[in-house]
Amino acid sequence: MNCDEFKESMHSVMDGRAGEAEGGFDQHARECDACSRAYQNMRLISKTMHDRGLYYAAPDRVRERAMKLGRASALPARRTWQTWHLFAAAASVAIVLTASWAIWRSSTSSDDLVAHDVVASHIRSLMANHQTDVLSSDRHTVKPWFAGKLPFSPRVDDFSAQNFKLIGGRLDYIADAPVAALVYQRRQHTINVFTWPARESAAPVRALNRRGYNVLHWSAAGMEYWAVSELAANELEELKQLIEERDKSVIGN
Amino acid sequence: MAFQQDDHERFNTAVLPHLDAAYNLARWLAKNEHDADDIVQEACVRALRFIGGFTGENTRAWFLCIVRNIFFDMRRRRGFESPADFDDITRSVPSDELGPEALLLRELDTRALREAIEELPDEFREAIVLREMEGLQYEQIAEVAGVPLGTVMSRLARARARLQQRLVPREGAHRA
C-alpha cells in the first residue's frame, strides 16, 4: 500500500468498513510516519466530535412544542378532508391492514413478539425518562441490586473504556417474564440490553430494524441478550462483542 | 377518527425519540438557535402530516431528511446559494491535501473544533455531523442527503481533510 492508497483507505477503516489489517494498511502505518500521524490526527478529531460538549440536544422549549403537537387534535388540516377522501383512505387502510394481518399471522413467531416487546420497552424508557431503577456505573452496585428481584443473576459490566458507559439497571417484563435491563450510553444514545436465562439452546444471531431502532439478538453462555438502540447496527455489534468476550472469560474461569 | 389517532401515536413513538438528533442536525446546519428551533418545529409539523404515508423502516433517517430539506429550502429562499463551489463538493480528495508535513496532534480543544466544523461548507458539515455525532452509516447518510454513496464518501473525506488542515499545526509553520 502506498501513501495515496493509505489516505484513501483511512476513512473506510475509521468508519469501521474495513479492518486495520486489510490490504497492508497497518503495515504502511508502521512504515510511514507522515501517514501514521495523519491517521492518528484524524482519529483524535473524530473522537473529539463524539464529545457530548459538541452535541446540541433539543432544548426544553423545542421538546415541549413537539410534544404538544403529538397530542391528538393538534393537526386541524386533516379535518378539512372531503368525505370521499376519508372513504378512500379508510378503504385502503382496511386493505393494507387485512394484508398485513395476513402476512403478520403467517410470519409471526415468539421471537417477533419479543422483538416488539423490547423495542416498546426501549421507547417507553426514553419517553418516560425512566431508564434506570438503580443508577450507577459501578457493576458492584448494579449486580447486587438485581439479587432479590430476579430469579437469576445477570452478568453486569461497565465498558466505559470502549465508550459504552454503564448507566444503571432496571427491572422489566418481557414475553411474560421478569428480565434485567442494563442501560448503557454511547455519545448521547441510550442502549437497553435485556437479558435472561436462555430458554432454548443457542439461538442464532439476528439483527433487526424495528420502528427505526436497531435490535440485536444473540445468546451466549446460557443467557439470552436483546440489545436495542437508535445507534447504528455496527455499533450494537461492537457492544455484543464486548459482552461476548466478557462471557467467554467468565466461562474460562 | 382512528386514522388520525394512529398518526399521532406513530409520531409520538417513532418520531419524537429522534428529536435530539433532529435538533443537533438543524443546529449545526443553521449555526444559530433561532433558525434551528424553527426548522425542528416545521419538521415536526411535516412529519406528523406525512407519517401516515411513510412505509419505510428507518424513521430516524426519514425525519432527518425532512429536517435537512427544510434547512436547504430556507438557505435557497434567503439567497445563500451553496457557499462551497461545485468543484469543492464533487471533487475527490487530492492526495496532497493532508500534507506529509502535518505534526502529531496531542490534544484538541472542543471550541477550536466547533469553529472549524462551522466553517465547513454546509454539505460537508451535514455529512460529518451525521457520521460522527449520530453514528449513521454511509448508506443512511446517502438516504438523508439524497445523494449517491460515492458523494457521501467524498464529502466525508474532504470534510475531515479540511478539519485536519485547519486544526493541525504544520511542520515548519513556526519558522515561517
Side-chain angles (χ1 to χ4, degrees), chain B residues 26-41:
Chain B
R27 180 64 180 73
W28 276 109
L29 284 175
K31 295 194 269 192
N32 73 77
E33 251 178 23
H34 183 256
D35 285 341
D37 283 20
D38 287 353
I39 290 170
V40 171
Q41 173 69 11

Side-chain angles (χ1 to χ4, degrees), chain A residues 18 20 33 39 81-82 95 114 127 145 161 166 219:
Chain A
E20 284 194 351
D33 251 11
Y39 179 53
W81 273 23
Q82 300 288 326
I95 292 167
V114 174
M127 286 185 72
W145 181 86
L166 178 68
S219 66

Side-chain angles (χ1 to χ4, degrees), chain A residues 148-160:
Chain A
K149 302 178 180 70
L150 286 171
F152 61 92
S153 171
R155 288 186 286 268
V156 181
D157 271 297
D158 176 37
F159 302 109
S160 286

Side-chain angles (χ1 to χ4, degrees), chain A residues 3-236:
Chain A
C3 292
D4 280 353
E5 287 162 347
F6 182 89
K7 277 161 192 156
E8 195 110 325
S9 315
M10 191 159 65
H11 301 281
S12 305
V13 173
M14 280 178 56
D15 293 326
R17 299 179 78 94
E20 284 194 351
E22 263 169 63
F25 182 86
D26 55 353
Q27 194 193 339
H28 183 84
R30 277 193 300 273
E31 286 162 0
C32 176
D33 251 11
C35 281
S36 163
R37 277 204 301 268
Y39 179 53
Q40 290 179 66
N41 287 341
M42 287 283 193
R43 291 206 78 107
L44 178 64
I45 292 172
S46 167
K47 196 170 148 273
T48 314
M49 276 191 85
H50 296 178
D51 193 318
R52 282 178 72 80
L54 283 172
Y55 196 87
Y56 294 110
D60 287 345
R61 58 175 188 279
V62 171
R63 189 168 297 280
E64 275 159 27
R65 282 164 80 193
M67 285 171 73
K68 206 169 150 192
L69 209 57
R71 287 194 276 274
S73 83
L75 197 66
R78 276 279 162 89
R79 297 226 184 85
T80 62
W81 273 23
Q82 300 288 326
T83 318
W84 69 269
H85 264 141
L86 278 174
F87 269 119
S92 48
V93 166
I95 292 167
V96 169
L97 281 180
T98 316
S100 33
W101 182 75
I103 294 167
W104 179 76
R105 259 196 63 123
S106 61
S107 70
T108 193
S109 67
S110 62
D111 251 20
D112 286 318
L113 295 179
V114 174
H116 177 271
D117 271 9
V118 294
V119 171
S121 168
H122 176 75
I123 293 174
R124 254 197 318 276
S125 77
L126 296 179
M127 286 185 72
N129 220 354
H130 176 77
Q131 295 168 7
T132 52
D133 292 328
V134 52
L135 184 71
S136 172
S137 60
D138 180 5
R139 68 190 191 90
H140 299 297
T141 306
V142 177
K143 193 178 161 66
W145 181 86
F146 282 112
K149 302 178 180 70
L150 286 171
F152 61 92
S153 171
R155 288 186 286 268
V156 181
D157 271 297
D158 176 37
F159 302 109
S160 286
Q162 291 84 13
N163 288 316
F164 288 101
K165 186 175 162 51
L166 178 68
I167 298 296
R170 184 177 81 242
L171 272 187
D172 220 310
Y173 204 73
I174 303 286
D176 300 324
V179 306
L182 304 176
V183 187
Y184 289 91
Q185 191 163 40
R186 169 168 262 199
R187 300 190 299 277
Q188 77 292 356
H189 302 298
T190 301
I191 306 114
N192 270 297
V193 178
F194 301 89
T195 178
W196 57 84
R199 288 159 201 169
E200 308 157 31
S201 53
V205 178
R206 284 212 308 156
L208 315 162
N209 187 288
R210 288 288 152 89
R211 299 158 101 175
Y213 294 93
N214 284 310
V215 180
L216 198 60
H217 172 215
W218 74 98
S219 66
M223 297 296 279
E224 205 165 315
Y225 296 93
W226 287 80
V228 189
S229 176
E230 69 267 29
L231 273 184
N234 67 322
E235 290 182 280
L236 271 190

